[in-house]
Amino acid sequence: MAELRTAVSRLRRQLAALRADFPDRAIAEDELAALAAMAAAGVPEIPRLRASLLLIAGAIGSMSALARGLSQVRAAVDLFGEPPRG
């Protein structure tokens, strides 16, 4: 949980510092807030973690300034196990 909290916090700060506006910024901010809340509660819902990660990745797109932070969030989510095979 600590890695998830740290990674989400870092990406939220990077996003807040980013001056560029983009169409899906609010989505990224909302999903990061949801991840932060789950991390703070200490009881992650794995499918919800993964869904939030996908929404954040889609919202951020290919913004190179946020690529490292997004990778760290993904690595933290991956610590909770493999995604379900469907």
Side-chain angles (χ1 to χ4, degrees):
M1 292 307 289
E3 285 192 42
L4 181 61
R5 278 192 299 270
T6 300
V8 168
S9 177
R10 185 174 297 128
L11 184 54
R12 287 178 89 181
R13 285 191 311 272
Q14 290 171 348
L15 183 58
L18 188 66
R19 299 267 185 225
D21 198 19
F22 52 96
D24 294 331
R25 184 183 193 115
I27 293 170
E29 290 170 344
D30 289 347
E31 292 303 320
L32 283 166
L35 285 178
M38 279 189 273
V43 183
E45 300 172 34
I46 311 271
R48 179 70 173 110
L49 287 176
R50 295 199 174 278
S52 288
L53 177 61
L54 288 174
L55 286 169
I56 294 164
I60 289 174
S62 61
M63 299 188 78
S64 61
L66 302 174
R68 182 173 178 180
L70 180 60
S71 293
Q72 291 171 340
V73 171
R74 179 178 182 223
V77 169
D78 285 346
L79 292 173
F80 291 94
E82 290 294 315
R85 304 274 179 208

